[in-house]
Amino acid sequence: MDRAALDLATIHYPNLQPEPFLDQLNELASSLGDRLRNFNDGRDFVEKASSYLFGELGFHGNETDFFDPLNSCLNQVLERRTGIPITLAVMYMEIARRLHMPVFGIGLPRHFVLEFNDGNFATYIDPFHGGRRITAQECFALAGAKVADPILLQRATPKQIAMRMLQNLQGVYLRAGDHEKAVSTLDLLLLGAPEIGSWYKRRGML
C-alpha cells in the first residue's frame, strides 16, 4: 500500500521518487521495533505505536486545513507529520506491516480507522486523533451511524483504500478548482471502476 499511496501522490508531485519515503517508513518501523518488549504482545505494540508515532514524533490529524491536498500525499504526511485519517492510517499500517503486526484499515463513512487483531488482543485505533484506542461503539459514532451495523467495520482491501484516497484527492482538487488534477484522479478511478457512468460524465464536464 505504501508504493500505491506514493504513486497517487505523483498527481501532485509528478517527479516524486518513492525510495526516500520508503526508507523513512523502514526507519520508523525499526525505531518502533526497538521500543517493543515482546513482538507477541499486541497491547504493547498498540501502546508503543501510539506513544512513539503520535506522542514522541507528533503525527496528528490536520484539523486546521483538512482539505489541503498535501494531506492526501503520503510523502507530505511523512514530511509534515500531519494528514487526514486515511493517509495517517496507511502510514501506520505500513509501519505495522514491516513489523509483522496485524493491522487493518476500516473505511467508515466520514472517517477511516484501524483495527489491530492478533487473535489474543483486539482494538480499534483512531489515527486522526492521536492514535487513541476506541471501541466499536465509538467507531459507529464516528461514522454517524444510527444503528450499530457490523458491516461498517469490514476491513478495507488495498484497492478500496486506493480508490478512497483517489476520491478524497478528487474532492480537494474540485474544491480548489484544479480541474486538471481532478481529471487525473478520475482517469485512475475509472481504471478501478469503469462501470460507474457518472464519473465519465464528470470527467467530460471537467
Side-chain angles (χ1 to χ4, degrees), residues 14 62 104 110 169:
N62 191 340
F104 312 95
R110 310 194 323 188
L169 271 171

Side-chain angles (χ1 to χ4, degrees), residues 46 50 106 108 111-116 121-143 153:
V46 172
S50 177
I106 308 292
L108 298 172
H111 206 67
F112 199 96
V113 298
L114 296 160
E115 178 193 7
F116 179 95
F121 173 72
T123 189
Y124 296 101
I125 302 157
D126 183 355
F128 190 74
H129 296 106
R132 66 190 181 105
R133 287 168 50 192
I134 56 176
T135 64
Q137 289 301 319
E138 288 173 301
C139 289
F140 297 134
L142 285 170
L153 300 177

Side-chain angles (χ1 to χ4, degrees), residues 6 16-26 75 78-79:
L6 291 167
L16 177 67
Q17 298 298 315
E19 285 73 19
F21 302 101
L22 296 173
D23 290 342
Q24 194 170 343
L25 287 167
N26 292 339
N75 59 312
L78 291 168
E79 292 257 333

Side-chain angles (χ1 to χ4, degrees), residues 47-111:
E47 290 174 354
K48 290 293 197 312
S50 177
S51 174
Y52 175 56
L53 296 174
F54 302 100
E56 188 176 334
L57 297 183
F59 281 96
H60 62 283
N62 191 340
E63 298 188 70
T64 58
D65 195 4
F66 190 89
F67 296 103
D68 184 343
L70 303 189
N71 293 330
S72 293
C73 299
L74 182 58
N75 59 312
Q76 283 299 303
V77 172
L78 291 168
E79 292 257 333
R80 304 190 307 160
R81 300 188 180 180
T82 189
I84 55 176
I86 196 167
T87 44
L88 290 166
V90 167
M91 176 199 71
Y92 191 114
M93 283 190 293
E94 282 301 316
I95 291 169
R97 181 178 65 82
R98 286 162 166 79
L99 297 172
H100 307 288
M101 292 293 175
V103 175
F104 312 95
I106 308 292
L108 298 172
R110 310 194 323 188
H111 206 67

